[in-house]
Amino acid sequence: MTANNHKLPKTTKELEAIIEPYESRIEYLEQRIRVLEKVIFAPKSEKRRPDEGEGGAQLHLFNEAEALFQEEAEKTPVTVPEHTRQKPKRKPLPADLPRIEIIEDIAESEKVCDCGAERSRIGEEVSEKLDYIPAKLQVVRIIRPKYACKSCEGVESEGPMVKCAPPPPQIIPKGIATAGLVAHIAVSKYADGLPLYRQEKIFSRYGIELSRSTMAGWMVMAAGGCNPLMDLVYKELLVGPLINVDETPLQVLNEPGRPNTTKSYMWVFRGGPPDKPLILFRYSETRSGEVPREVLAGYRGYCQTDGFSGYDALEASNPGIRMVGCFFHARRNFVKIIDARGKAAKNKSGSAEVALDYIGRLYKIEKVARERQLSPDQIVFFRREQAIPVLTEFKAWMDKRIGQTPPKGLLGQALSYALTRWDKLIRYTENGHVTPDNNAAENALRPFVIGRKNFLFAGHPNGAHAAATLYSLIETAKACGLDPYQYLRFLFSKIPYAKTEEAYRALLPQNLTPEILSRFMACL
């Protein structure tokens, strides 16, 4: 007997039985270390080359177009006929840009031929170059004449002695900022990720002193003026057949009763009409499932999310909701298995590749449906014929494989994630407007994540609420095919005059067109 009361192993089998759990634990920890090293040091991509294992070829769907082109070029021999090579055509510059013509003519002496006859103009060579004119600041002087009756001077009167037109309504009352300036600052920060302190430096180069605190105040005031419009955005959001939801952390300073290091969250909801979707951002101090429950109260339709547990109670709290899972998150777990392998086993073909093959086949089916431009009803029928047999086979394979896999290993976790959410993962086959993944919400959230890398945090909850409003308007405008600056300038110019719901509704992005905004900009 040893000091710890364990018997010494007498046979090789007994020794292997003792060592096996430790080897499994060591292998698991090594996998976790390799995954964490990739998260910290490697490029943030889940793409794999087609030669990385048996299932790599199916991941062409996730490769860049340039990589696909290179692969085809390497596989297919190219014969270039002599004297038939053509230069690649440059994409023409937009026709609506103003043109300035500069004529570069030959000297008058060269217009006379050596024979003495005058050369005739037979055509011209035209090339177009793109020029840039820096932004221009100007001062708008609003002059309001004042009138008084000289005959009544010194006479008491109940009414005002001096008459003057009231100041026009402005998005920033009593401020120096016009709708155009506020729109520019908002788009620079929330669409282009340019923090206010950088904009402050840019304005200073023009000789204009605008502090970041002043501009921050303007953003809060502009967002507050759009609150009636946001109420309509929320109503329209609930009309569509599908709402995609996602969330991401946000650090907010000066939150009452909370340390500045506490995490808050920015939520995004993408829904409304499929052809002109609405995107609603919502700031919250918490990641609690109460936030989506509040936003989606009364909604009837499909709701697609990732596997975060905060969404689990949505379907129970609202019977009208049909929850849909995200295959991209399920796929990500199998990609981690490949990333966790050592270099010696990098090209090994295993269960992860098999799972990725199944998922790749599902995405190929979706690609075919898009290429054929099928209607939503046709997509449902197409999935019933093509995708459901693949899903059935995939599920049977996972049911068999999970019984042969340690539950705490990466493969066991990946299989468990997919199987426990299987009913939600396959629900996308029921409706042609629903896709296999929640990428629509993640794409809607991406501009905020990029901006957060630059401005790092919100200085006050009021700023976080204002950011949610302005992100909502900008991203909805972009989703509806509108230029965000033109839309915000139009909105900030018109909304001070809006008084009725009909007037506010006319300012929603889906009720405007690029042509309407172009005509508005041409009148400035």
Side-chain angles (χ1 to χ4, degrees), residues 169-172 178-187 218-219 221-223 225-226 229 469-470 473-474 484-497 507 520:
Q170 299 285 331
I171 191 68
I172 308 294
T178 64
L181 180 59
V182 178
H184 169 74
I185 295 171
V187 170
W218 290 348
M219 295 299 98
M221 294 178 67
C226 296
L229 197 68
T469 295
L470 295 171
L473 295 172
I474 289 172
Y485 170 75
Q486 292 183 3
Y487 172 69
L488 283 192
R489 179 155 191 164
F490 178 86
L491 174 64
F492 293 159
S493 299
K494 302 293 184 182
I495 202 167
Y497 295 92
L507 300 177
F520 167 77

Side-chain angles (χ1 to χ4, degrees), residues 155-371:
V155 180
E156 293 185 4
S157 174
E158 294 182 358
M161 297 295 295
V162 178
K163 291 284 188 178
C164 183
Q170 299 285 331
I171 191 68
I172 308 294
K174 300 181 180 180
I176 65 170
T178 64
L181 180 59
V182 178
H184 169 74
I185 295 171
V187 170
S188 296
K189 178 175 181 179
Y190 300 110
D192 301 330
L194 193 63
L196 295 181
Y197 78 90
R198 294 184 190 171
Q199 296 192 51
E200 181 181 0
K201 293 180 180 179
I202 293 172
F203 281 117
S204 68
R205 294 204 297 264
Y206 290 94
I208 304 297
E209 298 302 324
L210 280 181
S211 68
R212 68 194 75 174
S213 60
T214 298
M215 290 187 282
W218 290 348
M219 295 299 98
V220 173
M221 294 178 67
C226 296
N227 283 340
L229 197 68
M230 294 306 298
D231 293 338
L232 295 178
V233 170
Y234 171 69
K235 290 181 182 178
E236 293 293 325
L237 178 80
L238 304 181
V239 172
L242 169 67
I243 293 180
N244 298 89
V245 188
D246 201 2
E247 82 292 328
T248 190
L250 170 66
Q251 186 177 356
V252 181
L253 309 183
N254 298 312
E255 288 182 310
R258 306 182 80 201
N260 286 340
T261 54
T262 305
K263 278 186 181 180
S264 296
Y265 288 86
M266 187 67 78
W267 296 73
V268 66
F269 302 83
R270 185 185 188 275
D275 56 335
K276 289 192 173 182
L278 292 101
I279 298 170
L280 176 69
F281 283 78
R282 177 68 63 91
Y283 155 69
S284 175
E285 296 179 356
T286 177
R287 201 187 183 192
S288 165
E290 187 61 33
V291 177
R293 281 199 298 271
E294 177 187 340
V295 174
L296 301 181
Y299 169 66
R300 299 184 65 84
Y302 289 89
C303 177
Q304 192 164 30
T305 69
D306 56 28
F308 171 51
S309 59
Y311 301 115
D312 290 344
L314 269 176
E315 207 165 18
S317 63
N318 185 347
I321 289 180
R322 295 276 287 169
M323 296 299 298
V324 186
C326 176
F327 255 110
F328 195 80
H329 281 78
R331 175 186 178 275
R332 185 174 296 166
N333 294 325
F334 292 106
V335 172
K336 286 182 181 179
I337 299 170
I338 298 172
D339 294 337
R341 292 175 185 160
K343 292 183 179 179
K346 200 66 178 177
N347 295 324
K348 174 184 175 182
S349 295
S351 297
E353 282 78 7
V354 175
L356 292 173
D357 275 334
Y358 280 116
I359 297 174
R361 288 162 62 185
L362 296 173
Y363 275 90
K364 284 181 180 178
I365 293 168
E366 296 301 306
K367 182 181 179 182
V368 172
R370 288 194 304 272
E371 290 173 346

